[in-house]
Each structure stands twice: as C-alpha cells, then as structure tokens.
Amino acid sequence: MEFGVALGVASLTIQVLQGCVKGYEFILAVRGVPAQYRYLITCLRLEETRLRIWCEAVGIDEHGDIPNSSLNANRWLLHEIFAQIKDAFETFNEVQKKYMELVPESSVSPNGPSIETLQIEAQGLEHAGSGESALRRAGSKAWALISQKAVSKNVGKRFRWVVFRAGEFTKLLEQLTTFNDKLHSLLDHQAQENLLQVTKATNMVALQVNNKVDDLLNLVQALTMYQTRSAQNLSATSDTVRAEVEILDQNRAELIELARFKAFQTSIEAGDMSESLAERLKLGASANQAIDPRIDTDLVEILHESSEGNILGVQRSEAIFKAPQQTPQQVWIEWRECHILPESANINSVILTRLRNLASLLHADKPPQFRVPYCLGYIDMHRFHHSDEEEDEESFPRVGYVFAKPGHVSPATKPISLHRLLASRHSPSLTSRILLAKTIAKSILYLHSTNWLHKGLSSHSVVFFDHNEEPSYSEPILCGFGYARPAKRADLTESPPENPALDIYRHPHAQRGGVREAYKKSFDYYSLGIILIEIGFWKSIDQILSIDLLTARPNTILLVRDRILNDDMGIADSIQARVGNVYASVISTCLDATRAFCIDEKVDETRGDIAALLQREYEIKVVKELESVRI
C-alpha cells in the first residue's frame, strides 16, 4: 500500500473510531434506566472496556497508526469493523431517541453502576504504567485523546429514558460483543493471551474499588448473562476462538464469585442483610442464618488443644461436630479470646459484632483463590475445661471458629502450621518453596481485590494438612483471621495485644508500641515479606535474626524492619544466593511497598485511585514477578 493511501486510511480509521467512542459515551450518559435493567448498562461498559483495552494493547495512536504489522496488513478490515460499530450505534440511536427526552443534568440521578468511572480512574493513575510496556502506555494516551475529541459538546444536559426497550438494547449488546470478538480474532495467539490477562487485571481493579452492593450484583448479573450466551454459542465457534472464549469464561466465572462475595461482605458489614438480598446473593440460607451461623455448644465435643497456642495466645483444637441428622465429623477449631471490659459496653458490642461478622464471612461460600477453609459456624462460650484442668478465674470468654477439614485428607489429620514445619521438617525443594510463595502471594491478591485485609498474617496463620505424611506445599490454607476487617472500616480497628511472637510479623506502625495507624494493605504486604524471608531460609524470622521471643523487648521487635532493610546481617545477599535475585527483589517490595509503588507512606490507601494502584502494582511487582521465577 502506498504511503499516501495508508495515511488516508489511518485518518479515516481514527475518525470512525472516534464515532465508536462517541456512541458508547452517548448511550452511557442516558439516565433513567430502570433498576432491573441496569445490569445491561454494566454490560455496555464491559464492552467499551474491551474496545479500549484492545486499542491500548495494539498501540494504536491518535493518528490511527498501528505498529502491529499483521494488523496493518488488515487495515481495511479493521476500518470496516470500526465502521460497523459506529453504524450499530447510529441505527440504535435513530430508533431509540423517540423513547428519550432531553432534561437538565441536575434533574436526574445516575444509572447506578460506577464501573466505567472506576476503570477510567484506574487507567489514569500517575504511576500505574510503571509495569507496562511503552506500547500500551502510548495506546492508553491515544485512547484518552480519542475519547476527549469524541465527547459531546452538550455537556450541561442529559437524555433520559422515557421508555427503556430492553430487547433492542440486548440486540445492540450482542452486535458489539460480536464486533469486539472480531477485533480479538485479528491478533495472533500471544497477543490474544496478553489481552485476556490485561482485561482480567482491569476488571479486578474495578471490582476492588467498587463498594456498592447493587453495582456488584449488577456486575454479577451482567457476567452471568455473558456466560449463558457463551455456552449457547460455543459449539459454533472455531477451535482457536473456542480456546479464547473458554479462558474468558473462566475469568468471568472467577469475577462472578469475587463480586458476589464482596456484595455479601459489604452487606454484612453495613448491617443491611435482608431476605430479598439473601435470595439475590443465592446464599442458600435465610438472612438470619447468614448473619449469625452460631453453633450450639452441645453439638461440639473438644478432643484436645494444640500446644502451639501456649506462647501465641492462638489456640487450635481438634473436635467432633455432631450436626443434627448428620454423621459426626472431626473438625478443627480456631479460638479467639474476647478481651471484654465491664465498663466499656459500647466497645464490647462492636468487638462481639465484628467477631460474629467474621464468622459469617468464613461461613459463606468463598472463591477458592482465597485459600480460606470452610467454616461450619462458630461457638460462643467461656473456656472449655478438661477434667485435669483447673478453673482459670481470669479467663476471658472466647469464640471458636469451627472449620471443616479438606475432603481429601483423613478425618484424624491435624492442621500443621508453616511455622512448625520450619522447625520440624527439612527444607523442601526450591521448586516447592517458590510454589508456596507464589500461592500465598496470589491468595492475598484475591483477598484484597474484595477490599478484605487479613491483619494477622504470619507463618502461624498458614497451615497445611499432610497428604501421605508430606505437606502439599501447593495447597496452603490461610487462617488466623482474628483481627481481620474490611479496609474501609477504620472504626473497627482493634489494637492487638502485645505479643512478640506475632508482632515480629507486623509492620512497625501496626504494633502497639509503634506509631499506631489504621490497618492498611501495605501492612499485609509487609507481613507477607517476612513470610517470604522465612520460606527462603526455611527458618523462622526470630531464628534468622537471633531474637529470643521470650525475653525480647518491644523496641527490639519494632526495629526488625529497619534491620532487614538496612541489611545489618547480610540477609539480602543470603536470600539472593538461596532463591535468586527476583525473589529477593519481591521481598524488598513487600517490606517497603509504599516506596516500591511510588506512593506517600501516609496516603489514604482506601482512596479509590490509590486502592486501584496498589491492586495493580502488587500484581505486577509481587505476584507476576514470583510467577516469572524459573528453576
């Protein structure tokens, strides 16, 4: 193709693409969509996001130039697809405008879902491009310029639906989905895989900063509609397209689980769970059962307690759970003492409510990526006493979270903590240790995507069940959620009691003797960094630093972070020699996440743009880096 002709096609392509963007912008600006159809608006935003990510991924610039040689060879076909998208919007608007009316913007409320805004917010982060290719950053800049040129000048007014015709809207969505599928099919296999990964990461960011129950349920309904349609059309697609669709469906199914769980979590914390909401969430239980999965203490028979709890104040017990009309099953219980103060009724109420809420979340169906055990319910009682145990007059009431054991292990198998394995088992292979590190890091990624913080992460809170007398290091289980809470609820921050054995895993600003701050994600990252050090050395952190936890002063524990970052004991060199430079770099990132992610240490991490940045940077600089390690 001659230069002048190519330039003309590029100019036409960018003009048509601007028409596509304008079509999306116009329909998304129309207000007054009935509540039962707002999930269709979410679908439209998802399709717009797919188009935006495609443009960013191929590096199309504001002049319509595309560095991808195979796409340049199909420039006329690309132009035709954009023209079809533009025509679809124009045809739809021409018919549907008679069902709209023009009103002042201030007189109507938004449609509800904020996913579009959140995705654009996440896209425009100042530092978010640090882990991306220059090509995609150029594409992102171009999309912003294209969008800016395409926005209607009639900014002060909005159209409102008088009659919303869901059938016609659904047909438009089907057309847009088909056109986006065609754009994806023009890419080679590797580019398609990259595009799917970017789409998944973008949706995870949107999920992470979206905190309204209705919006989350609209997302669930939208993705479910896609899943249904995909299943119906899968047999008619080619093998290449089918493989991509199957991956896309897996990602959607994962996002559905995460969104549904976050909607449940949000409603529990807000205290507005209702029977209608329980039905929409498909809980399979009444609202009361979901809110308070309490177990009668008569149904639980304690067998014995773990000795690991003696120094930690964290006890685990083996027990038999005798559910009515069911076969008794052997379970394990994790106890949490309630430090109730007689003169602080309001504080006590908050603490007890939070412990119950935690039981609700642990009891609910959860995405498997969380790697959190299934909780059958909780028992609320004073300390159990065995026949050989004297009454402790100063003992506090305690709550026990009753967990089922994995189905593939013997009922008699007891959970064993990573901390105990560090002391009692030989170091596993480097492959097993890297796999363990990746699995734990990824579970934190998913946990944080729903805005839920662990706030008790340590090698004591990572447990395994032996399989054929050998732990499966690819199947760690996260527990120890005694202090867990949603990131937004600073009012529910509880100061943990001083405990050197646990404080050594906590960020200095999360310890009682330090500069106390509301707990935040970067504190979980710090705890993960300590665990990664332990996995690398296959020793507990107190042994690595030669700290006697029985006699350690608070200031000794507070200085652990400085000692490691200043490399007083040559830990960095030792880690590099044992597990490699990439692994060592990930540890540094976790221990000093605010520096690694280029944010102020005092910034509010619950702020939408910062939360999105943390989500994306953690995935790029921690999870993806660990996944890149090759043995």
Side-chain angles (χ1 to χ4, degrees):
M1 183 181 294
E2 296 181 2
F3 176 75
V5 175
L7 187 61
V9 175
S11 178
L12 285 173
T13 298
I14 207 66
Q15 290 178 30
V16 176
L17 181 56
Q18 287 174 3
C20 299
V21 175
K22 188 173 182 178
Y24 276 108
E25 295 288 343
F26 176 79
I27 297 298
L28 289 170
V30 179
R31 307 305 173 94
V33 177
Q36 68 268 33
Y37 296 126
R38 284 179 183 166
Y39 74 95
L40 294 175
I41 300 299
T42 302
C43 291
L44 187 63
R45 288 188 169 116
L46 291 173
E47 290 303 330
E48 184 199 31
T49 299
R50 288 183 69 197
L51 178 61
R52 170 175 63 81
I53 292 175
W54 187 91
C55 291
E56 292 177 3
V58 302
I60 188 169
D61 67 19
E62 63 267 33
H63 305 295
D65 292 329
I66 306 172
N68 186 301
S69 57
S70 62
L71 284 178
N72 267 318
N74 292 294
R75 185 180 290 277
W76 280 110
L77 178 58
L78 186 61
H79 173 84
E80 179 63 24
I81 295 173
F82 287 153
Q84 288 176 324
I85 296 173
K86 179 174 176 287
D87 290 345
F89 275 118
E90 290 177 349
T91 301
F92 177 82
N93 290 339
E94 184 177 349
V95 174
Q96 298 301 317
K97 272 191 176 179
K98 61 185 176 182
Y99 302 111
M100 304 175 191
E101 63 179 355
L102 190 60
V103 294
E105 181 181 7
S106 59
S107 68
V108 290
S109 59
N111 286 326
S114 54
I115 291 174
E116 174 202 33
T117 303
L118 297 171
Q119 287 175 335
I120 292 174
E121 180 181 59
Q123 170 196 352
L125 296 174
E126 182 179 355
H127 306 290
S130 59
E132 300 174 347
S133 67
L135 183 65
R136 187 171 176 225
R137 290 199 297 273
S140 181
K141 180 180 178 181
W143 178 266
L145 290 172
I146 293 167
S147 299
Q148 187 176 16
K149 293 177 182 178
V151 172
S152 171
K153 294 180 180 179
N154 194 9
V155 178
K157 297 182 178 180
R158 290 288 186 273
F159 281 93
R160 177 173 61 191
W161 292 102
V162 177
V163 177
F164 184 79
R165 300 170 67 85
E168 283 81 353
F169 200 98
T170 301
K171 289 179 182 178
L172 173 65
L173 285 171
E174 290 174 351
Q175 289 179 295
L176 297 175
T177 301
T178 299
F179 296 142
N180 276 331
D181 289 344
K182 287 181 179 179
L183 290 174
H184 280 234
S185 69
L186 295 177
L187 303 176
D188 59 44
H189 178 67
Q190 185 60 53
Q192 288 183 21
E193 284 191 351
N194 293 340
L195 203 60
L196 287 172
Q197 291 180 9
V198 173
T199 301
K200 178 180 177 180
T202 302
N203 289 336
M204 288 279 282
V205 167
L207 167 71
Q208 200 276 326
V209 293
N210 196 357
N211 299 301
K212 295 181 179 179
V213 172
D214 284 342
D215 291 1
L216 291 164
L217 290 176
N218 285 336
L219 177 59
V220 169
Q221 191 171 359
L223 293 169
T224 301
M225 186 184 78
Y226 277 114
Q227 295 287 75
T228 302
R229 186 189 303 161
S230 176
Q232 294 170 346
N233 300 332
L234 192 61
S235 59
T237 60
S238 65
D239 291 342
T240 303
V241 174
R242 186 182 296 115
E244 181 187 357
V245 170
E246 287 175 347
I247 296 174
L248 189 59
D249 282 347
Q250 290 174 6
N251 293 343
R252 286 170 177 160
E254 187 178 278
L255 192 59
I256 287 172
E257 283 190 291
L258 290 167
R260 183 176 285 125
F261 177 82
K262 185 172 183 181
F264 173 75
Q265 167 199 308
T266 303
S267 64
I268 287 292
E269 292 301 325
D272 58 5
M273 176 60 69
S274 63
E275 293 299 337
S276 61
L277 183 55
E279 185 175 345
R280 290 179 69 193
L281 289 168
K282 299 182 179 180
L283 298 181
S286 69
N288 287 336
Q289 289 173 321
I291 293 171
D292 191 9
R294 189 189 304 261
I295 293 175
D296 191 327
T297 55
D298 293 338
L299 301 178
V300 178
E301 177 188 347
I302 302 297
L303 299 178
H304 51 78
E305 295 194 5
S306 165
S307 59
E308 185 176 13
N310 291 344
I311 184 175
L312 297 173
V314 177
Q315 297 87 26
R316 297 189 181 107
S317 302
E318 289 290 301
I320 301 293
F321 176 45
K322 305 173 183 177
Q325 300 179 341
Q326 293 184 24
T327 303
Q329 65 180 112
Q330 193 158 336
V331 296
W332 58 289
I333 301 176
E334 191 165 81
W335 297 98
R336 166 71 189 276
E337 284 190 346
C338 309
H339 294 268
I340 303 298
L341 303 176
E343 69 279 9
S344 304
N346 291 337
I347 295 177
N348 294 340
S349 176
V350 170
I351 292 173
L352 292 173
T353 298
R354 184 154 55 89
L355 291 172
R356 186 193 66 189
N357 288 351
L358 176 57
S360 301
L361 295 177
L362 294 172
H363 178 65
D365 289 337
K366 293 173 290 299
Q369 295 84 0
F370 282 7
R371 306 213 61 83
V372 173
Y374 175 62
C375 180
L376 297 164
Y378 75 102
I379 50 179
D380 183 2
M381 57 183 297
H382 285 76
R383 185 179 296 274
F384 271 110
H385 296 287
H386 303 291
S387 58
D388 59 345
E389 184 178 43
E390 294 182 2
E391 178 77 19
D392 181 359
E393 294 182 357
E394 296 183 358
S395 67
F396 290 100
R398 61 179 184 168
V399 169
Y401 299 110
V402 182
F403 293 107
K405 295 185 178 182
H408 65 274
V409 303
S410 166
T413 304
K414 303 174 186 176
I416 181 171
S417 70
L418 173 58
H419 191 269
R420 182 166 291 183
L421 289 175
L422 296 174
S424 62
R425 298 287 179 100
H426 62 276
S427 174
S429 68
L430 182 57
T431 300
S432 294
R433 284 182 285 152
I434 296 296
L435 179 59
L436 172 59
K438 288 191 292 189
T439 306
I440 297 173
K442 202 166 186 177
S443 69
I444 297 301
L445 173 72
Y446 281 97
L447 199 65
H448 283 187
S449 74
T450 64
N451 233 15
W452 194 258
L453 313 185
H454 189 288
K455 205 183 176 187
L457 196 60
S458 72
S459 56
H460 301 284
S461 61
V462 178
V463 302
F464 304 84
F465 284 87
D466 285 6
H467 184 63
N468 295 329
E469 299 185 354
E470 184 68 23
S472 177
Y473 293 106
S474 64
E475 298 178 358
I477 293 174
L478 292 188
C479 54
F481 284 81
Y483 293 109
R485 65 169 180 83
K488 287 284 186 182
R489 297 294 301 274
D491 59 305
L492 293 187
T493 297
E494 178 185 346
S495 298
E498 283 188 10
N499 188 330
L502 295 181
D503 282 344
I504 200 169
Y505 294 91
R506 295 184 178 120
H507 190 282
H509 293 178
Q511 296 177 36
R512 184 180 288 273
V515 181
R516 286 285 299 165
E517 294 183 37
Y519 202 85
K520 51 190 180 181
K521 288 182 179 179
S522 55
F523 292 174
D524 267 355
Y525 301 155
Y526 176 84
S527 300
L528 173 64
I530 298 296
I531 293 174
L532 295 182
I533 293 174
E534 292 184 318
I535 293 172
F537 279 93
W538 205 250
K539 287 183 179 179
S540 62
I541 190 65
D542 55 296
Q543 288 183 320
I544 296 169
L545 298 177
S546 301
I547 295 175
D548 184 350
L549 294 175
L550 291 174
T551 61
R553 294 177 176 273
N555 193 54
T556 301
I557 305 300
L558 281 171
L559 293 175
V560 163
R561 179 172 181 258
D562 289 342
R563 287 181 61 186
I564 297 173
L565 291 177
N566 294 334
D567 205 20
D568 291 348
M569 302 182 65
I571 290 177
D573 290 340
S574 296
I575 281 289
Q576 289 174 5
R578 291 169 185 265
V579 286
N581 293 342
V582 173
Y583 190 98
S585 174
V586 169
I587 289 174
S588 296
T589 297
C590 290
L591 296 181
D592 199 2
T594 52
R595 176 200 56 79
F597 300 161
C598 301
I599 62 173
D600 191 289
E601 191 174 21
K602 296 181 180 179
V603 74
D604 178 7
E605 292 184 9
T606 66
R607 220 176 71 193
D609 57 338
I610 299 301
L613 184 149
L614 288 172
Q615 179 76 12
R616 184 150 63 175
E617 291 290 272
Y618 175 79
E619 180 175 14
I620 293 170
K621 295 182 178 179
V622 176
V623 176
K624 295 297 184 185
E625 284 290 277
L626 287 173
E627 290 179 341
S628 73
V629 175
R630 298 289 180 265
I631 308 302

